[in-house]
Amino acid sequence: MASAAEQLAANLNVEAFSKATELHKRLIFTMVALIVYRIGCYIPIPGINMSAFLQAFQGQAGGVLGMFNMFSGGAVRNMAVFALNVMPYISSSIIVQLMGTIYPPWEKLRKEGGEAGRKQLNQYTRYLTVILALFQSFGIAMGLQAGQGIVDNPGIFFTVCTVATLTGGTLFLMWLGEQITSRGVGNGVSLIIFAGIVAVFPRYIHQATELARTGAMNGGALLVILALVIAVTVAIVFMERSQRRLLVQYPKRQVGNRMFGGDTSFLPLKINTSGVIPPIFASSLLLLPATVMGFAANANLPSWLQWLPGAVGQLQHGRPAFMVLYGALIIFFCFFYTSVVFNPEDTAENLRKYGGFMPGIRPGKRTAEYLDFVLTRLTVIGAAYIAVVCLLPEILIGYYNAPFYMGGTSVLIVVSVTMDTVTQIQSHLLAHQYEGLIKKSKLRGSRGR
């Protein structure tokens, strides 16, 4: 016999969707917010000579700037007010979460502070976002002025204006992402990055087909790349839905003349517990510093900075240094973020508190050790899978001169965010269906009286 949840899921259809008015409002709010974000990606910061900037951009479009432009939804190419995107916010989240594991006061807030502690850490994240955005926008302003003819009137006024504009754009996107999370559907920050990637996909696909049409890239190679994209998408869906289910049993207990408990359930552990966070974190740490250095490398540098262009060249896509750093950061953040979102000791304690146990394993410390044992091995598989998916385009660049935007990180983010958003939509529909069943049961009960 199907469970109540399965019966509700079977009733999810167009009719159920049409009646979910609350979900409609959330979807409309999400769409309007993303449209506002896309409009901001076409509003350039003042004082930029766009023709000169586009010429400088084209020189690095196949490297760091090209990938950062993809994450920002084309805002870098337009040098728009949202050129920094949400990367400072992501970087500050990394720092706060890392400090929450090694800095005792923040660790206490994270573990024992409850909702108030979480809000306090979120406030620290916002403060740090402002600092990072100010620092990074100042670096971009100085890098733009170092380029030949990019800025119409270099000077302190342009620097202040650029810093204020880019920092304000990042803070607005941070606020917009929080509003999407609370009043819309899905994770706001992830959806902003998702919208940016999807928005530039058509242009990148057109560029790839033009390369094949003009003979710059073999047509067979293009078909191979498209086949790899499909294969990677299927692999991502399979891995993201895969999980290890640990059997949990609850003993029977007698209360009066009735027996309670004796149930069995499963504790699901995903292979990729960290989701899309590791590649986003790794990209945010690698891309922006390299972007600023890329602008500065084109300027007339003093003798003691002549090494900078060579260092920037090693951080381009397809280069061994970039691939090693990128893969190492992805693996590190897989383990780090998994340890943040899942604590074996807390899970074992909660199981013991409610009388649950795993067959053959003693409750408490032994259960925590077993959970850590299983989770570590799952994370090894998950980290290897994410590293392979994200490094695949880098290999294509290095050995086959293929456009990096055709796979890897972008596909991982798009597929994962899509699956998460669809899951949240289904959850809202299930909640609406459940509320409808409760109302019907209450109405029948009142009629029966």
Side-chain angles (χ1 to χ4, degrees):
M1 181 177 179
S3 64
E6 291 173 340
Q7 293 176 6
L8 285 173
N11 293 326
L12 293 180
N13 48 37
V14 177
E15 182 181 358
F17 178 79
S18 64
K19 294 179 180 179
T21 56
E22 177 64 23
L23 178 60
H24 296 167
K25 294 178 182 178
R26 287 180 172 271
L27 288 173
I28 291 173
F29 180 86
T30 303
M31 293 300 298
V32 171
L34 293 179
I35 290 173
V36 171
Y37 159 64
R38 290 304 304 154
I39 292 174
C41 292
Y42 291 93
I43 302 176
I45 62 177
I48 296 291
N49 184 332
M50 289 307 300
S51 59
F53 173 77
L54 287 175
Q55 185 177 359
F57 175 83
Q58 292 299 329
Q60 300 189 42
V64 173
L65 277 183
M67 189 171 183
F68 191 58
N69 182 62
M70 179 188 67
F71 280 113
S72 65
V76 172
R77 184 177 184 273
N78 301 321
M79 194 41 64
V81 294
F82 292 158
L84 280 181
N85 207 264
V86 291
M87 292 307 176
Y89 177 74
I90 293 173
S91 300
S92 63
S93 299
I94 298 172
I95 297 173
V96 171
Q97 289 180 358
L98 180 61
M99 294 297 292
T101 60
I102 62 176
Y103 183 53
W106 287 13
E107 185 179 8
K108 185 177 181 181
L109 276 177
R110 183 175 64 86
K111 290 184 176 180
E112 304 174 9
E115 183 66 18
R118 186 184 64 82
K119 289 183 178 179
Q120 187 65 42
L121 290 177
N122 286 341
Q123 197 64 20
Y124 292 153
T125 303
R126 297 187 186 102
Y127 293 150
L128 188 56
T129 300
V130 176
I131 296 174
L132 291 179
L134 288 171
F135 174 77
Q136 293 172 352
S137 58
F138 177 78
I140 290 178
M142 300 305 294
L144 289 172
Q145 293 180 88
Q148 295 295 329
I150 295 178
V151 179
D152 293 330
N153 297 299
I156 186 65
F157 180 78
F158 173 80
T159 301
V160 173
C161 183
T162 301
V163 170
T165 302
L166 293 179
T167 302
T170 294
L171 297 183
F172 177 78
L173 287 182
M174 178 183 69
W175 174 83
L176 191 66
E178 292 176 351
Q179 294 303 309
I180 292 175
T181 302
S182 60
R183 301 173 60 184
V185 177
N187 181 280
V189 174
S190 297
L191 279 175
I192 287 174
I193 298 175
F194 165 86
I197 294 174
V198 171
V200 298
F201 257 17
R203 180 166 66 245
Y204 286 156
I205 293 174
H206 174 72
Q207 291 176 3
T209 54
E210 282 297 306
L211 289 175
R213 187 182 65 84
T214 58
M217 183 172 64
N218 186 277
L222 179 60
L223 293 178
V224 171
I225 292 174
L226 291 177
L228 283 175
V229 171
I230 296 174
V232 167
T233 303
V234 173
I236 291 172
V237 173
F238 175 78
M239 294 296 290
E240 292 298 323
R241 295 177 65 89
S242 300
Q243 56 183 220
R244 170 76 183 276
R245 303 176 71 189
L246 301 179
L247 179 64
V248 178
Q249 293 183 343
Y250 294 90
K252 293 182 179 181
R253 55 191 177 91
Q254 184 173 356
V255 179
N257 294 326
R258 302 183 62 181
M259 296 293 294
F260 293 91
D263 298 329
T264 60
S265 63
F266 292 94
L267 177 64
L269 297 179
K270 292 184 62 177
I271 290 181
N272 179 26
T273 306
S274 55
V276 299
I277 298 300
I280 295 177
F281 279 7
S283 300
S284 67
L285 289 183
L286 281 178
L287 290 181
L288 196 56
T291 302
V292 176
M293 285 194 300
F295 277 115
N298 293 328
N300 295 323
L301 300 175
S303 58
W304 58 276
L305 280 178
Q306 293 301 316
W307 56 269
L308 190 58
V312 173
Q314 292 302 315
L315 289 177
Q316 298 295 320
H317 286 275
R319 296 296 180 88
F322 181 89
M323 295 172 64
V324 170
L325 285 175
Y326 194 36
L329 285 174
I330 288 174
I331 294 173
F332 168 76
F333 282 120
C334 280
F335 281 92
F336 167 70
Y337 199 75
T338 299
S339 67
V340 170
V341 300
F342 188 92
N343 190 322
E345 294 181 358
D346 292 345
T347 304
E349 180 62 24
N350 290 333
L351 287 176
R352 187 190 63 80
K353 186 184 300 183
Y354 292 102
F357 65 94
M358 296 179 181
I361 302 173
R362 297 181 61 181
K365 183 179 178 180
R366 294 293 184 184
T367 300
E369 291 175 351
Y370 178 72
L371 289 174
D372 183 67
F373 174 84
V374 174
L375 190 64
T376 300
R377 279 144 186 80
L378 289 178
T379 306
V380 169
I381 300 174
Y385 134 72
I386 295 181
V388 169
V389 168
C390 293
L391 290 177
L392 179 61
E394 310 302 331
I395 297 174
L396 294 177
I397 294 168
Y399 294 94
Y400 302 102
N401 198 27
F404 72 91
Y405 38 76
M406 293 299 292
T409 308
S410 57
V411 177
L412 175 65
I413 294 174
V414 169
V415 174
S416 299
V417 174
T418 300
M419 292 175 60
D420 179 64
T421 304
V422 170
T423 301
Q424 291 204 25
I425 292 175
Q426 291 176 341
S427 299
H428 284 291
L429 285 174
L430 284 172
H432 175 74
Q433 291 280 85
Y434 184 69
E435 290 174 0
L437 290 177
I438 292 178
K439 289 180 181 179
K440 288 181 180 180
S441 63
K442 287 183 179 180
L443 183 60
R444 290 172 183 172
S446 61
R447 288 177 179 175
R449 294 194 188 102

